[in-house]
């Protein structure tokens, strides 16, 4: 994966700290649905990841997944499988691929692609119902993806 | 009368909403005012045979209290708007000095109309929703102003027209001149819109009965529209619901009354062919 890239303005705005090693959404390379390298070039923080996974306006993963470790978060959904033990079922690279763009791992998956900026039909400006504008970026930043991945690897049965 | 398996307090329903063990439609029957027997589940129409066997009203996916409110007109807040529309029905408006009553007598004369809308209008050469037809009468028969599509007076009038068809089976035509619009609506139904790339079908066909965060997913049927929602304490147009569901996929949504939503309404209505007209229904 080429690390020399010019970051789009949109991404630069979306990311809190942009490092030179960051891989832009359209430059991510998937191998059998997995992504080997850190998207931000830095390690993830599992504590922050735990917060993102349960937070309605960030990952909102619990909308679709039951996670025993998030018992304090009310209302877990049942659209996808429970994530208990996900850190045992999948490697870090696989988890990164699933969170960045689950459709690469699971063909036609209902799970949203959290690190993708192209190929949408009528993309909107967040939840306003209005058309996307030049603030449009991935749902999660590169570092947030890393944080979520770091958290998921801690989920053991 | 409504058959209640468990008597639950408000707290009880809240706790149950969180329990995934309750997945699936609630086993219950709806008879409104001890009189109107509602078909709330029935065999899926022919055109759905390859995707589902049974169509189920959204009523089955709501909590005990919400379902109970719909069983009696005194408890159904939507009926207040129906009564208001009954008053407007006889009010003269516009340059022609006419009211709805001048030409249609009692609202009951429109029994059966809700069940077949949206419907192809030969003269206009278009598929019309009830809202479009009401506005057509207002403008071209009465010389009155159009009502805003999702406004209280419009949705109250649509609720009145629906209420006199309650219990009758939804039966919109999908062939003949309506077919092109129906196909367009079907395409929209299966399109994965927005940054979340979700189609109506992802939630309402593949996952009805499942919880998505705090919401118990129904089939997204529209036999109960207009819907009185406890959440916003007003009557909601089907197009308002469509708008909200598309917005929630982080998409640029469509406008109520737009050709896209008219087509979608015809298609979604046809997915409920065979269910009873319930409008105005009660949902959370």
């Amino acid at each position: 994966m080429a690390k020399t890239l010019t970051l789009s303005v949109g991404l630069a705005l979306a990311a809190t700290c942009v490092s030179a090693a960051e891989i832009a959404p359209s430059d991510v390379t998937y191998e059998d649905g997995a992504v080997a390298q850190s998207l931000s070039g830095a390690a993830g923080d599992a504590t922050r990841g735990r917060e993102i996974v349960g937070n309605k306006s960030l990952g909102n993963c619990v909308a679709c997944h039951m996670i025993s470790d998030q018992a304090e978060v009310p209302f877990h959904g049942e659209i996808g499988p429970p994530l208990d033990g996900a850190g045992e079922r999948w490697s870090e690279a696989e988890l990164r691929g699933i969170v960045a763009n689950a459709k690469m791992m699971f063909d036609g998956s209902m799970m949203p692609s959290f690190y993708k900026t192209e190929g949408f039909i009528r993309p909107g400006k967040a939840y306003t119902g209005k058309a996307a504008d030049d603030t449009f970026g991935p749902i999660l930043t590169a570092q947030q993806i890393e944080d979520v991945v770091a958290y998921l690897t801690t989920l053991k049965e | 009368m409504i058959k209640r398996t468990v008597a639950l307090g408000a707290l009880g329903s809240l706790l149950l909403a969180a329990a995934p063990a309750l997945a699936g439609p609630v086993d219950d029957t709806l008879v409104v005012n001890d009189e109107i027997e509602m078909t709330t589940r029935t065999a899926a129409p022919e055109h759905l045979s390859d995707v589902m066997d049974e169509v189920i009203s959204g009523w089955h996916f709501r909590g005990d209290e919400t379902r109970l409110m719909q069983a009696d007109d005194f408890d159904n807040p939507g009926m207040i708007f129906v009564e208001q529309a009954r008053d407007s029905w006889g009010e003269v408006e516009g340059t022609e000095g006419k009211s709805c009553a001048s030409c249609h007598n009692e609202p009951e004369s429109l029994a059966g109309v809700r069940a077949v809308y949206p419907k192809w209008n030969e003269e206009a050469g278009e598929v019309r929703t009830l809202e479009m037809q009401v506005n057509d009468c207002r403008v071209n028969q009465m010389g009155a102003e159009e009502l805003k599509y999702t406004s209280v007076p419009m949705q109250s009038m649509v609720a009145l027209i629906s209420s006199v068809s309650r219990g009758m089976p939804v039966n919109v035509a999908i062939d003949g001149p309506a077919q092109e619009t129906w196909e367009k609506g079907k395409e929209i139904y299966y399109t994965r819109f927005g940054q979340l790339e979700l189609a109506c079908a992802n939630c309402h066909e593949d996952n009805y009965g499942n919880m998505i965060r705090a919401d118990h997913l129904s089939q997204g049927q529209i036999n109960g529209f207009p819907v009185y929602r406890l959440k916003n304490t007003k009557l909601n147009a089907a197009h308002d619901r469509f708008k909200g569901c598309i917005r929630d996929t982080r998409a640029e949504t469509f406008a109520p009354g737009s050709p896209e939503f008219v087509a979608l309404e015809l298609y979604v209505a046809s997915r409920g062919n065979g269910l009873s007209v319930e409008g105005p229904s009660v949902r959370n």
Side-chain angles (χ1 to χ4, degrees):
Chain A
M1 161 65 45
K3 280 190 185 172
T4 44
L5 44 89
T6 37
L7 290 164
S8 77
V9 184
L11 184 63
L13 279 175
T16 28
C17 72
V18 180
S19 93
E22 187 165 303
I23 302 169
S26 308
D27 295 332
V28 181
T29 310
Y30 293 85
E31 263 173 66
D32 296 327
V35 177
Q37 270 173 300
S38 163
L39 297 175
S40 66
D45 176 339
T47 312
R48 278 206 304 259
R50 186 175 187 280
E51 155 77 14
I52 294 164
V53 164
N55 190 309
K56 232 181 184 157
S57 45
L58 292 170
N60 200 17
C61 316
V62 294
C64 291
H65 295 284
M66 199 284 293
I67 309 171
S68 302
D69 180 58
Q70 302 251 347
E72 79 282 7
V73 178
F75 308 122
H76 295 205
E78 45 187 3
I79 307 290
L83 293 187
D84 296 358
E88 275 164 0
R89 282 192 296 279
W90 305 97
S91 70
E92 183 191 303
E94 286 168 333
L95 288 170
R96 184 178 290 112
I98 293 172
V99 181
N101 186 354
K103 289 161 190 88
M104 297 295 186
M105 184 72 79
F106 314 111
D107 194 33
S109 181
M110 183 173 161
M111 179 161 153
S113 304
F114 289 89
Y115 199 62
K116 185 178 131 172
T117 48
E118 287 168 346
F120 300 117
I121 301 167
R122 295 176 74 88
K125 185 177 158 78
Y127 293 102
T128 62
K130 300 203 167 70
D133 57 20
D134 56 10
T135 61
F136 190 80
I139 303 172
L140 296 177
T141 64
Q143 189 55 46
Q144 285 172 327
I145 301 280
E146 292 307 317
D147 295 344
V148 169
V149 170
Y151 171 64
L152 294 176
T153 60
T154 70
L155 296 179
K156 311 268 157 141
E157 215 58 88
Chain B
M1 241 219 3
I2 194 171
K3 200 177 73 211
R4 283 181 100 176
T5 25
V6 243
L8 286 164
L11 184 64
S13 338
L14 272 178
L15 289 175
L16 279 175
L22 256 198
V26 179
D27 188 15
D28 202 348
T29 48
L30 176 61
V31 181
V32 173
N33 301 333
D34 288 334
E35 190 187 314
I36 315 169
E37 288 184 22
M38 296 284 189
T39 301
T40 53
R41 337 173 49 135
T42 191
E46 176 63 27
H47 70 88
L48 283 183
S49 59
D50 54 338
V51 291
M52 53 174 67
D53 300 330
E54 193 186 23
V55 288
I56 310 170
S57 161
W59 181 79
H60 279 281
F61 298 85
R62 307 282 55 96
D64 290 21
E65 258 118 56
T66 312
R67 291 201 315 284
L68 203 54
M69 284 174 93
Q70 207 186 309
D72 192 313
D73 284 356
F74 286 108
D75 299 329
N76 181 344
M79 292 309 289
I80 296 164
F81 297 91
V82 167
E83 288 315 312
Q84 286 169 3
R86 263 186 201 278
D87 293 341
S88 330
W89 181 264
E91 274 166 25
V92 171
E93 271 189 83
T95 54
E96 304 303 303
K98 289 194 165 33
S99 70
C100 311
S102 314
C103 301
H104 295 293
N105 304 312
E106 296 303 309
E108 280 68 18
S109 74
L110 295 184
V113 171
R114 164 80 282 179
V116 298
Y117 269 72
K119 185 177 129 182
W120 176 258
N121 183 295
E122 190 60 48
E123 222 170 289
E126 64 183 9
V127 168
R128 273 192 186 159
T129 60
L130 264 186
E131 286 89 340
M132 290 160 76
Q133 179 60 51
V134 169
N135 268 340
D136 183 77
C137 282
R138 287 182 59 89
V139 173
N140 297 318
Q141 307 281 356
M142 298 164 64
E145 301 256 291
E146 279 197 4
L147 296 175
K148 201 174 156 268
Y149 207 91
T150 59
S151 66
V152 174
M154 175 59 92
Q155 291 310 314
S156 303
M157 187 54 77
V158 173
L160 169 62
I161 297 168
S162 300
S163 72
V164 299
S165 291
R166 284 187 296 173
M168 296 179 177
V170 174
N171 184 24
V172 296
I174 64 173
D175 52 2
Q179 190 177 343
E180 199 186 320
T181 307
W182 183 80
E183 300 281 3
K184 194 173 139 200
K186 180 176 180 180
E187 193 188 316
I188 294 173
Y189 193 87
Y190 287 100
T191 298
R192 299 186 63 164
F193 288 111
Q195 195 173 11
L196 300 187
E197 296 175 284
L198 292 171
C200 315
N202 287 123
C203 287
H204 295 299
E205 182 173 289
D206 302 336
N207 279 290
Y208 68 86
N210 287 333
M211 298 297 292
I212 187 161
R213 200 129 193 176
D215 291 310
H216 194 192
L217 280 171
S218 72
Q219 291 184 345
Q221 297 285 358
I222 53 171
N223 59 308
F225 278 81
V227 164
Y228 180 87
R229 289 188 69 185
L230 303 167
K231 183 179 163 180
N232 58 16
T233 64
K234 67 177 182 92
L235 286 178
N236 293 256
H239 291 197
D240 262 333
R241 233 340 174 168
F242 298 167
K243 184 180 160 189
C245 279
I246 294 188
R247 179 198 62 214
D248 289 349
T249 65
R250 294 175 80 110
E252 178 187 4
T253 192
F254 299 97
S258 62
E260 289 84 1
F261 276 174
V262 172
L264 185 60
E265 182 178 339
L266 174 62
Y267 178 69
V268 178
S270 79
R271 294 176 67 99
N273 271 354
L275 292 174
S276 292
V277 171
E278 278 178 40
S281 67
V282 187
R283 306 282 188 261
N284 51 314

